[in-house]
Amino acid sequence: MSKTISREEISSMFKDGMTVMVGGFMGVGTPEEIVSIILENGIKDLTLISDDTAFIDTGVGPLIVNHRVKKAITTHIGKNPEAGRQMIAGELEVELVPMGTFVERVRAGGAGLGGILTPTGVGTVVEEGKEKLTVDGRVYLLEKPLHAEVALLKAYKADKNGNLIYRKAARNFNPLMALAADLVIVQVEQLVEIGEIDSNDVMTPGILVDKIFVQGGCE
Amino acid sequence: MVETLLNPKQMIASRIAKEMKDGDVVNLGIGLPTMIPNYLPEGCNVILQSENGYVGLGPLVGEIDPDLVDAGGKPSGIIAGGAFFDSLMSFSIIRGGHVDLAILGGLEVDEKGNLANWMIPGKLVPGMGGAMDLVVGAKKVIVAMEHTSKMGASKIVKQCTLPLTGKNVVDIIVTEMAVFRVTEAGLVLDELQEGVDLETVEKNTEASFIVNPTILSQ
């Protein structure tokens, strides 16, 4: 069964109120063409799980600017002034998470774990409402898993099985998010035949990838 | 080398450069800390860790590559021998004690080594990003900041009032006036920056501190 998918087919996969996880760090490694499809088809009230809210015009930034996000679970909103404005105005709920905790929560969500124990945030507002455990004399916070209905990834290259290679700093959260959603859609720069990616070079195994969207929309 | 007068930020950056040893793995916060590599002495090469997913952060060489930015999202480079990885590896390196030195900015640091640098309630809420993991995970944490706020208030306080980034996490504070170390006994004023006297530091510092005897004997 072919994993490749058109703009129209992607468009039909979203609905209002969905929980969506999006790869990328300040827009680098974010599947911006898939983000633009969400913008075009009017999907709203999303719960967005992404490292940051990027800049107003990159990455997931436009989803915030165009009021498509009801809640953001994220580590940093400082480069997208609209996110801060909406948060203070009560238009956007923001759960701020330390970055190392964020990535471990995504991993836990994809790896079948009930959470992770981290010393990060102990003694700060981050610990509020969380269970604390002492292990060998050190205090840790129990941080719960993150899971999404859809994960949107960006990769440099895929083969038709969905085996992925990322490029440079665009890897970031993408390999973790490939594990942590019911439906995993990747936007790729290049699609190649099975066998053209050496199995040794695969960064995310294709069994985790459901749908492949080739940048520019061809295929 | 021609001696030129340094501005406050340059004074801070050049002093912190002296804390680095050849081969150290270093994470630099955005802003002022990124100036530090300019002041590393000849033969002192540190390996810069970029929290967005690589070691070997270097200056931009040649054309901008959209997939190669630093943790502030600015176009950057990677040195020969550097390595890219995912965010899980990046923060395992950070939190797992594999970074020798983390250098961050600060809004407030107090006598206990508590640091506040990620939000001002109701005003500025950028988020903590990787800072909370860096301060618990790095072997040594240095705060690089100007001694006083724009309003002239001391940023080295008895007790932080802003939401904390980390509790008892700071090792060294470097400002344009002085260098403090956080010890079990409290804050120790270890050095005065060039041209600054003890009285000036006392006047501009809210926190109590012990004065290193080498300063008194000067």
Side-chain angles (χ1 to χ4, degrees), chain A residues 46-62:
Chain A
L46 297 172
T47 294
L48 174 69
I49 303 173
S50 66
D51 174 65
D52 51 75
T53 52
F55 302 91
I56 54 167
D57 55 354
T58 67
V60 297

Side-chain angles (χ1 to χ4, degrees), chain A residues 71-84:
Chain A
K71 178 178 181 182
I73 302 173
T74 187
T75 83
H76 198 268
I77 61 170
K79 302 278 181 184
N80 184 337
E82 181 58 16

Side-chain angles (χ1 to χ4, degrees), chain B residues 110-162:
Chain B
D110 71 19
E111 293 173 5
K112 296 245 164 26
N114 298 325
L115 168 68
N117 80 345
W118 70 282
M119 76 174 283
I120 302 171
K123 267 171 95 179
L124 175 76
V125 193
M128 66 291 275
M132 286 193 178
D133 295 287
L134 279 161
V135 295
V136 301
K139 286 184 194 150
K140 195 190 271 186
V141 173
I142 302 180
V143 173
M145 65 179 188
E146 291 181 77
H147 205 95
T148 56
S149 71
K150 287 194 181 80
M151 310 294 289
S154 172
K155 291 169 76 174
I156 304 174
V157 295
K158 288 195 174 305
Q159 199 174 357
C160 290
T161 55
L162 293 170

Side-chain angles (χ1 to χ4, degrees), chain A residues 193-208:
Chain A
E193 293 300 325
I194 291 165
E196 286 187 46
I197 292 179
D198 188 321
S199 304
N200 250 324
D201 297 337
V202 173
M203 296 175 178
T204 293
I207 56 158
L208 300 174

Side-chain angles (χ1 to χ4, degrees), chain A residues 75 77 99-100 120 167-169, chain B residues 65 67 87 95 125-126 129 133:
Chain A
T75 83
I77 61 170
M99 202 181 290
T120 303
R167 197 170 166 275
K168 302 191 177 183
Chain B
D65 183 330
D67 288 336
S87 303
R95 208 183 35 240
V125 193
D133 295 287

Side-chain angles (χ1 to χ4, degrees), chain A:
Chain A
M1 199 185 76
S2 170
K3 290 187 175 183
T4 53
I5 189 173
S6 67
R7 287 182 86 87
E8 292 69 33
E9 287 169 294
I10 289 186
S11 195
S12 70
M13 290 174 169
F14 296 104
K15 54 178 193 289
D16 289 352
M18 257 189 168
T19 300
V20 180
M21 207 174 252
V22 187
F25 187 111
M26 297 294 174
V28 175
T30 297
E32 292 185 329
E33 288 193 23
I34 301 181
V35 168
S36 74
I37 293 170
I38 298 178
L39 285 170
E40 280 164 25
N41 71 5
I43 293 297
K44 61 181 190 303
D45 295 333
L46 297 172
T47 294
L48 174 69
I49 303 173
S50 66
D51 174 65
D52 51 75
T53 52
F55 302 91
I56 54 167
D57 55 354
T58 67
V60 297
L63 290 176
I64 302 284
V65 173
N66 290 283
H67 293 87
R68 302 307 175 81
V69 181
K70 185 181 64 181
K71 178 178 181 182
I73 302 173
T74 187
T75 83
H76 198 268
I77 61 170
K79 302 278 181 184
N80 184 337
E82 181 58 16
R85 192 202 63 75
Q86 288 181 18
M87 182 178 83
I88 289 169
E91 297 162 19
L92 172 70
E93 185 187 342
V94 178
E95 178 183 340
L96 285 169
V97 183
M99 202 181 290
T101 300
F102 178 86
V103 68
E104 288 289 348
R105 288 178 67 190
V106 171
R107 181 181 72 95
L113 300 176
I116 59 106
L117 296 177
T118 178
T120 303
V122 171
T124 75
V125 293
V126 168
E127 74 172 30
E128 284 172 12
K130 286 172 189 158
E131 204 174 323
K132 282 197 221 176
L133 286 98
T134 303
V135 181
D136 294 337
R138 192 170 188 193
V139 180
Y140 297 87
L141 302 182
L142 172 63
E143 293 277 7
K144 292 186 178 171
L146 286 172
H147 198 272
E149 291 167 88
V150 184
L152 305 177
L153 316 183
K154 164 77 195 297
Y156 169 57
K157 197 189 267 190
D159 69 18
K160 288 184 172 174
N161 273 348
N163 290 311
L164 303 181
I165 292 177
Y166 308 96
R167 197 170 166 275
K168 302 191 177 183
R171 192 179 328 180
N172 56 63
F173 298 87
N174 285 297
L176 288 315
M177 290 180 173
L179 288 154
D182 302 331
L183 175 68
V184 175
I185 308 174
V186 60
Q187 173 186 320
V188 299
E189 291 176 42
Q190 284 178 31
L191 180 67
V192 299
E193 293 300 325
I194 291 165
E196 286 187 46
I197 292 179
D198 188 321
S199 304
N200 250 324
D201 297 337
V202 173
M203 296 175 178
T204 293
I207 56 158
L208 300 174
V209 174
D210 298 303
K211 301 291 174 191
I212 304 164
F213 174 71
V214 182
Q215 226 166 269
C218 42
E219 276 301 320

